[in-house]
Amino acid sequence: MVADPTSGLAPEVAGTAQVGLVDTSIGRACGLPALAVVARVAGAGGLVYETPPGATGCFPRGDGHWLVASPEGAGAVVALGGPGALVNARLGAADNALLAAALLAPAPDARVTILRPPLPGEGDATLGDLVPARVKLAVAQLGVAFALVVAWRARRLGRPVGEPQPVAVPSSELVVAVANLWQQRRARAQAARLLREHLHRELAEHLGLPGRTPPPALAQAATARTAVSAERILELLTGPVPPDETRLVALAQQVEDLRRLVGAAPGQTVGGEPRDR
């Protein structure tokens, strides 16, 4: 008995055993002696087969039969359209139990052997056997394409080719270019701020003071090392924005003179003003 329509022992499939969405019982309508006590099967489901020459079809539905018995050697191969009528939940419906007894135990001394397909992992097929041929062909094509791309983009040994190097710009030219831009914009406030910040940083470093020392304290510390009054140093550190370029140039010169006087002996001046005593 074969209950798998996809088995090679089953005949050709002719259609389905259901009527629309309803799975009704099917009458026997055949003269097989082994099924004489079976009038109907219920919940058969599955498919119906074509009846080959010499075979006997039972339980007709549409263009086929749900059960086909084909002579084979000293016995017969009985193909069912599906195992639906033999499950435990349906053995009590119609004559399903009689069908199972008639097919599985036709005589008192009959022996029944149940063959089940191998469970996952028990078969002889390998992973490579389960992969379809078209998938293997696609992987092979991808491998060939990858090899071609590697050969196309791979490094080719040959004469070294010189590459143009970036043009080196001296820092002095960069300073001049930035100064020219500021001059065109008349950015006197920005230039004066940078001069005073640079002076603040230089005085703090030379006097050993923190970089965040307030300008008044920094001016008091610087006047002890130079001949410039604290008021004059504070003016250089926090004075107003020069009104024109001439005053800006003068501020830059005075800042440079004060930087040079840090650490010099008392009595020297910056911008012609002596230190107050």
Side-chain angles (χ1 to χ4, degrees):
M1 183 177 64
V2 180
D4 181 8
T6 62
S7 173
L9 300 176
E12 294 293 331
V13 175
T16 179
Q18 292 181 334
V19 179
L21 299 178
V22 180
D23 187 11
T24 59
S25 62
I26 309 175
R28 175 167 49 88
C30 72
L32 286 178
L35 302 179
V37 296
V38 181
R40 305 185 68 85
V41 293
L47 306 173
V48 294
Y49 301 111
E50 297 178 358
T51 304
T56 302
C58 296
F59 305 101
R61 176 61 57 85
D63 296 332
H65 293 83
W66 180 77
L67 184 150
V68 175
S70 303
E72 186 70 29
V77 175
V78 179
L80 304 182
L86 303 180
V87 298
N88 293 338
R90 294 178 180 175
L91 284 178
D95 296 331
N96 292 352
L98 296 176
L99 174 69
L103 295 177
L104 297 176
D109 57 347
R111 300 180 60 184
V112 179
T113 301
I114 299 176
L115 303 179
R116 65 170 179 82
L119 297 176
E122 294 182 353
D124 298 331
T126 63
L127 181 60
D129 298 334
L130 299 177
V131 176
R134 59 182 180 273
V135 175
K136 297 180 181 178
L137 180 60
V139 173
Q141 292 176 347
L142 290 176
V144 172
F146 178 75
L148 292 177
V149 172
V150 170
W152 172 47
R153 300 293 296 177
R155 178 180 179 183
R156 294 176 174 81
L157 300 179
R159 181 176 59 86
V161 178
E163 296 183 356
Q165 299 297 323
V167 178
V169 179
S171 58
S172 59
E173 294 186 9
L174 181 61
V175 172
V176 172
V178 174
N180 289 335
L181 291 176
W182 285 4
Q183 185 178 17
Q184 293 175 6
R185 292 177 51 198
R186 300 183 182 277
R188 292 188 298 273
Q190 188 174 3
R193 178 177 57 82
L194 291 179
L195 287 172
R196 286 171 170 142
E197 288 179 356
H198 184 64
L199 175 62
H200 189 285
R201 184 170 57 255
E202 288 281 333
L203 292 179
E205 290 179 0
H206 283 88
L207 298 175
L209 298 175
R212 296 185 178 181
T213 302
L218 187 61
Q220 290 294 335
T223 191
R225 299 282 297 274
T226 64
V228 185
S229 64
E231 291 77 7
R232 181 56 177 161
I233 297 176
L234 185 60
E235 182 182 358
L236 293 177
L237 290 173
T238 61
V241 178
D244 50 34
E245 293 185 1
T246 302
R247 298 290 182 86
L248 179 62
V249 173
L251 175 62
Q253 184 61 48
Q254 294 171 6
V255 167
E256 182 64 24
D257 291 342
L258 181 58
R259 290 177 58 251
R260 294 178 180 177
L261 286 177
V262 174
Q268 300 187 24
T269 62
V270 173
E273 293 190 10
R275 176 184 175 186
D276 298 335
R277 288 292 185 181

